[in-house]
Amino acid sequence: MVRQRIEELRRALERHNRLYYIDNAPEISDFEFDALMRELLELEAAHPEWADPNSPSVRVGSDLTAEFRTVRHHFPMLSLGNTYSLGELHDFLDRIRRETGREAEVACELKFDGTAISLTYEHGSLLRAVTRGDGTEGDDVTANVRTIRTVPLRLQGEGWPDYFEIRGEILMPYASFDRLNAEREAAGEPLLANPRNAAAGTLKQQSSAVVARRGLDCTLYQIAGDELPFRSHSEALAAARSWGFKVSDKMRICRTTEEVDAFIAHWDTARRELPFPTDGVVVKVDDFALRRQLGFTAKAPKWAVAYKFKAEQALTRLQSIDFQVGRTGAVTPVANLEPVLLAGTTVRRATLHNAEQMAQLDIRPGDCVYVEKGGEIIPKITGVELAARPADSRPFVYIDRCPECGTPLVRYEGEAKHYCPNQGGCRPQIIGRILHFIRRKALDIEGLGEETVELLYDNGLVANASDLYDLRPEQLAPLPRLGEKSAENIVRSIGRSTEAPFHRVLFGLGIRFVGETTAKYLAAHFRTLDAVMAASREELVEADEVGEKIADAIVDYFADAGNRRIVERLRTAGLRFEAEAREQASDALAGKSFVISGKFLNHSRDELKELIERHGGRNLAAVSGNVDFLVAGDNMGPAKLKKAEKLGIRILTEEEFAALLDRGTRADAPPAAADRTAHPAHPAPSGKPSEETAAGEAPRQGELF
Ligand code: IVH
C-alpha cells in the first residue's frame, strides 16, 4: 500500500515537474505540488528501504558533502572551432559543400553561455552527470545535477537506447543570477562576475541543497551513444524532446548561406530579450551520414563551427576621471560617463585600470569612448572614437600625487598601478584597512559600516583597528546618526569580535596578498601569531600555498614598528592569537614520529601533519635516528631518502600512510571520518582517475560521429 503510494507520488511529481518546467503548462498549483512533495518526503523518510536516487524528492537537495569523483567520459567531449568572422563562417559552409558535393542542410542553434554537462542514462534513468573537465575526464556532479528541475530523472515516452549520453549546457538564467548577487551583496560577499561563472561555481558546491536553491537550468543539444536509431541531428533532438529533455525550440534547419546569415543577424539582437545568456550561434551539419564523411580534426568535429557574437558595446562621452585610492594605496583611475544603456543596465562608471592602459588608448576627458561589458562586473573602456575628438583636446597627463593626501605617488617593480606610499596618513587607506578588519570574513563586527567608520575616523576616535577596542558608548552616542542604542550595540559587537578564530584575525590584519585562504593555511601551519611573526622568509614558504611574494609581504608587515604596536594592542584587547587546540581523534599513532617530505596527490603536507598530530603522532622536521616513518611524496630530495634508507627508517607512500592510519584507527575505535571537516577549507578533493582508466585505451567515439 505505502509502497504503491510512494510510486504513485513519484510518477505524479515527475509529470507535474515536467509540465511546469519543460512544457510551461502546469496543471496544478504550486501549493498542490508542495503538498504532494511533502507527502512523498514523509513516506520516504519513514521507509528508507524504498529509497531511490532518482526520486523527484532529490530535487530539494541535501546537505551531505558532495565529493567529486573524476570520471572518464565514455565518448570524449570535444570542443568546437570558433570564429568571430562571417567570412570564416562562409568558408566553413563552402568547404562542406565542396567535400560532400551537396547543399548540405545545417542546423543553426544558439550557443548557450553556461557550462557543459554530459548526462548518462541507463534503462531510462539518470545514472551520472559529469562536467566537461579536460574533455576526456570530468567531475561527477550527479547529486547536484539531480536538483535541476529541467533534468529528467526518469525518461518518458519510448525508443530511448538502453545506454546513452546526452550533452548540453547548464545555465544560470539572468533572474537567478541577479537574485544570487543581490543576496551576496546583502551578505557582504564578493559578487559573481557573470552567469557562466556562477553556473560553473554552483555545480561545484559541496551541498546540493544550495544548488537546489540557485535556480539552474539545463538545455540539451547533442546525443552520443552506440548505434543510435537516428539519421539526423534534428531527428535525434526531436526524440530527446519527446523523452522529456529540455531542447531549445530556437533551432532552425538552413539550406543556404543567406538563411544562416539571417539566423545570426536575428539572434545577434533578439538574444537580448532571452532570459538566459548566449554568446553565439553553433552551425552543425544535420545529416549523420555526412558528418561521418566529414570526420574530425584532433580536437573538434569538422562538421560544426561556433560563430561568436561580439561583446555588446556602447558609445558615450567620458565626462571626467576620478582616482580611487584603495586600502593598499593602489590608485585606480575611474571614468565618469554620460549614462548609457548597455546589455540591460545603465552604465555610469567604468574602470580605466592604470596609467599605462590609458596612455595606450590615448584616452582624454571629453572623448567619445566605447564601453564594453566583458566577463567582469565593472564595464571597461575599450577604445576612443577619434573622429569625434574635440579640436582643442590635449593628451591626458596622469597624476603624480595622491588625490587624497598629496603625497608623491610611486611605482613598484612589476606592478602596473601607481601607489600612494603614505600608509599611516592617507585617509582612504586608513579607513579601508579598518573596513577590511571589520568585514564579515575577518572580525565580523556588525553595526559598523563605511559611513560610521568614516565618522569615527573624522572625529578622531579611531585611526587603526586596535583603537576600536578602546571605544566607549558615551563617546559614540553624541555622534550624528548614532545615539545611545546603536552606540551600545556597536561596542557590544566589537567586544564579541574577540571570539573570532585566529585565522580570521590574521586575515583581518590586512597583510598584502594574505587572503582568507592563505590566512587559514598560515594558522594551520604556525598555530600562533607569535610563530608567524618570528618566522623567517624561508620558514614561511614551508607553509602550504605560501610563496615568496606572500612571505615577503608578511616579513615586511611585521618589520613595521607601527604594525607591531597595533598587533600588541589587539593582543591586550584579548583577540585570539592562537589556533584552537586540535581535537584528538585517536591514539593510533601514539609514540610514533614522522617526517613528511615531497608533494602528495590527495593531501597537502600540512594536512598530513595535522592528521598525524590528531592521531597522537609527532612530526619532526629532519630525518634522524628518532624518526620512525618517512612519508615520501613526489619530488622529495634524494639525499633525504638516502639518509632514511641508511637509518633503516620505514618509508611510506601516501596510500601506505593512509592504510596505516586506517588500520590503527579501526583497532582504536573512534572513526576517522571527522578528519576532513576539521581541516581548513581546502579545495574539494577532486579525486584521481583509477589506474585502469587513466592508462586505458583511447575513448570510443559515439557511433553518431
Ligand atoms: S555542440 C562536438 N551546441 O560551446 C560539439 N555546443 O565552444 C559539441 N555550447 O563545449 C558541442 N551551446 O559547451 C554545441 N548549441 C550548442 C552549444 C554548445 C553552447 C558550448 C559547449 C561546447 C562549447 C564549444
Side-chain angles (χ1 to χ4, degrees):
M1 265 302 281
V2 176
R3 176 101 202 244
Q4 236 171 9
R5 180 67 187 152
I6 290 182
E7 279 310 318
E8 208 173 275
L9 284 166
R10 285 178 181 164
R11 271 197 305 275
L13 283 162
E14 263 165 36
R15 180 162 167 274
H16 290 303
N17 185 70
R18 195 170 56 241
L19 287 169
Y20 185 91
Y21 287 102
I22 312 251
D23 302 342
N24 270 331
E27 286 178 4
I28 58 172
S29 68
D30 290 2
F31 180 80
E32 288 166 302
F33 185 91
D34 290 346
L36 292 177
M37 182 64 90
R38 214 165 323 114
E39 185 183 347
L40 176 61
L41 285 167
E42 277 165 17
L43 290 180
E44 286 183 344
H47 295 278
E49 69 276 23
W50 296 325
D52 177 347
N54 281 329
S55 163
S57 59
V58 302
R59 303 282 196 198
V60 297
S62 103
D63 278 324
L64 293 180
T65 299
E67 254 194 64
F68 305 119
R69 229 167 22 101
T70 306
V71 181
R72 197 175 181 87
H73 294 296
H74 204 71
F75 310 103
M77 286 181 85
L78 301 168
S79 61
L80 281 182
N82 68 50
T83 176
Y84 284 93
S85 133
L86 282 180
E88 282 180 20
L89 177 68
H90 296 165
D91 293 347
F92 164 82
L93 294 170
D94 290 344
R95 182 173 54 77
I96 285 177
R97 289 192 192 116
R98 234 182 9 256
E99 287 191 21
T100 62
R102 294 211 255 150
E103 282 282 301
E105 292 186 346
V106 289
C108 290
E109 294 172 6
L110 290 171
K111 185 169 175 343
F112 304 99
D113 194 11
T115 183
I117 194 79
S118 182
L119 309 174
T120 303
Y121 285 80
E122 199 175 45
H123 309 309
S125 284
L126 175 65
L127 181 67
R128 221 172 12 244
V130 183
T131 62
R132 180 168 186 279
D134 63 3
T136 306
E137 48 191 33
D139 284 335
D140 182 334
V141 289
T142 313
N144 286 345
V145 168
R146 282 205 170 101
T147 69
I148 301 173
R149 306 305 199 264
T150 38
V151 171
L153 301 173
R154 264 188 287 230
L155 302 183
Q156 56 159 343
E158 55 198 27
W160 17 269
D162 247 8
Y163 183 96
F164 70 98
E165 286 185 33
I166 184 160
R167 271 96 191 250
E169 206 83 354
I170 305 253
L171 296 168
M172 185 173 283
Y174 290 121
S176 308
F177 177 71
D178 292 343
R179 182 169 41 100
L180 177 60
N181 260 351
E183 283 169 13
R184 292 176 72 94
E185 188 163 22
E189 292 170 22
L191 300 189
L192 297 164
N194 54 51
R196 181 186 349 108
N197 290 1
T202 300
L203 264 196
K204 295 289 183 69
Q205 285 289 316
Q206 291 287 311
S207 152
S208 60
V210 171
V211 182
R213 285 194 297 272
R214 291 261 179 109
L216 292 177
D217 199 350
C218 178
T219 292
L220 285 314
Y221 45 64
Q222 187 194 14
I223 306 183
D226 291 318
E227 296 169 30
L228 293 171
F230 309 112
R231 271 170 296 131
S232 70
H233 177 63
S234 42
E235 203 181 288
L237 288 190
R241 188 179 289 124
S242 77
W243 301 334
F245 290 105
K246 181 164 177 176
V247 173
S248 169
D249 56 4
K250 311 286 188 276
M251 190 259 265
R252 287 287 170 274
I253 296 293
C254 296
R255 284 172 191 80
T256 64
T257 305
E258 290 69 38
E259 284 174 21
V260 174
D261 286 353
F263 184 89
I264 290 176
H266 171 71
W267 285 112
D268 200 353
T269 44
R271 70 190 182 108
R272 292 174 202 174
E273 313 297 324
L274 292 172
F276 49 80
T278 54
D279 62 343
V281 164
V282 182
V283 181
K284 310 169 175 175
V285 170
D286 191 41
D287 187 281
F288 285 158
L290 291 186
R291 285 191 180 188
R292 277 191 288 268
Q293 190 183 335
L294 288 160
F296 296 82
T297 67
K299 31 177 219 238
K302 289 194 199 162
W303 42 259
V305 73
Y307 171 82
K308 302 249 276 183
F309 296 130
K310 280 173 204 63
E312 266 184 72
Q313 277 195 339
L315 195 61
T316 187
R317 194 166 297 279
L318 171 59
Q319 292 174 323
S320 62
I321 298 171
D322 284 343
F323 294 88
Q324 285 178 351
V325 183
R327 82 177 152 90
T328 59
V331 177
T332 306
V334 179
N336 294 312
L337 304 167
E338 214 162 85
V340 62
L341 200 66
L342 176 63
T345 51
T346 304
V347 175
R348 292 187 172 77
R349 283 159 77 77
T351 175
L352 290 162
H353 299 289
N354 54 53
E356 234 157 84
Q357 288 249 2
M358 286 187 64
Q360 226 164 45
L361 295 172
D362 185 20
I363 293 175
R364 311 174 184 186
D367 272 347
C368 265
V369 291
Y370 290 97
V371 214
E372 207 171 88
K373 256 199 207 162
E376 307 78 34
I377 305 173
I378 306 167
K380 58 183 178 210
I381 290 182
T382 53
V384 175
E385 183 55 60
L386 290 175
R389 176 168 278 173
D392 58 351
S393 155
R394 296 261 146 87
F396 181 72
V397 183
Y398 203 79
I399 52 169
D400 57 4
R401 284 178 179 274
C402 175
E404 300 281 342
C405 70
T407 305
L409 298 179
V410 295
R411 296 282 299 270
Y412 298 116
E413 211 183 297
E415 304 243 3
K417 291 201 159 165
H418 285 71
Y419 280 79
C420 166
N422 180 19
Q423 287 181 10
C426 180
R427 185 173 182 272
Q429 295 189 54
I430 296 169
I431 290 174
R433 283 196 300 269
I434 299 175
L435 286 172
H436 171 78
F437 182 83
I438 65 177
R439 54 191 272 209
R440 222 168 56 90
K441 291 187 167 174
L443 278 291
D444 191 18
I445 300 180
E446 282 171 32
L448 269 183
E450 189 166 346
E451 272 181 39
T452 314
V453 171
E454 285 176 355
L455 199 64
L456 296 180
Y457 174 74
D458 293 337
N459 281 280
L461 291 174
V462 295
N464 63 57
S466 65
D467 291 337
L468 292 170
Y469 294 89
D470 293 337
L471 287 175
R472 280 170 285 118
E474 57 273 24
Q475 290 175 297
L476 300 180
L479 296 177
R481 293 189 304 275
L482 283 185
E484 257 168 55
K485 200 158 164 63
S486 31
E488 266 165 31
N489 284 342
I490 290 173
V491 172
R492 198 166 321 118
S493 58
I494 293 174
R496 259 202 311 270
S497 73
T498 55
E499 299 295 316
F502 169 49
H503 65 86
R504 298 228 311 251
V505 176
L506 191 53
F507 172 58
L509 292 180
I511 304 170
R512 277 197 88 189
F513 311 124
V514 177
E516 200 196 346
T517 313
T518 307
K520 282 183 182 165
Y521 282 115
L522 284 166
H525 184 89
F526 289 102
R527 315 293 301 163
T528 69
L529 188 65
D530 286 325
V532 178
M533 288 173 77
S536 66
R537 188 170 182 267
E538 292 68 32
E539 286 163 342
L540 285 164
V541 295
E542 283 284 300
D544 288 333
E545 306 295 317
V546 175
E548 284 169 11
K549 192 169 89 170
I550 300 178
D552 284 341
I554 297 171
V555 170
D556 287 351
Y557 181 89
F558 291 113
D560 182 281
N563 288 338
R564 281 204 309 272
R565 258 196 312 278
I566 293 174
V567 166
E568 286 321 311
R569 286 183 55 208
L570 291 175
R571 190 198 300 270
T572 314
L575 266 67
R576 298 213 171 153
F577 276 19
E578 205 175 316
E580 263 168 54
R582 289 178 176 125
E583 213 179 295
Q584 205 59 27
S586 82
D587 290 335
L589 307 178
K592 299 284 181 251
S593 295
F594 292 79
V595 167
I596 308 287
S597 187
K599 273 193 177 305
F600 300 89
L601 270 185
N602 299 316
H603 296 88
S604 71
R605 277 200 298 277
D606 282 338
E607 267 180 316
L608 288 175
K609 286 185 188 168
E610 182 164 342
L611 273 176
I612 289 169
E613 283 185 22
R614 295 187 59 235
H615 291 278
R618 223 156 54 102
N619 288 299
L620 297 177
V623 174
S624 72
N626 299 329
V627 175
D628 299 299
F629 297 98
L630 170 69
V631 188
D634 287 345
N635 300 332
M636 85 169 266
K640 224 180 214 177
L641 205 58
K642 228 173 171 172
K643 185 164 176 197
E645 277 167 2
K646 219 166 86 193
L647 289 169
I649 293 170
R650 269 190 67 191
I651 299 170
L652 303 176
T653 63
E654 186 180 10
E655 290 75 28
E656 286 165 341
F657 169 74
L660 177 89
L661 188 61
D662 194 41
R663 273 199 307 278
T665 46
R666 254 183 292 155
D668 190 85
D675 286 344
R676 187 155 276 133
T677 49
H679 200 268
H682 269 286
S686 66
K688 292 286 165 206
S690 72
E691 272 170 37
E692 304 94 78
T693 53
E697 77 289 5
R700 285 179 294 157
Q701 308 256 294
E703 164 71 9
L704 251 188
F705 313 123

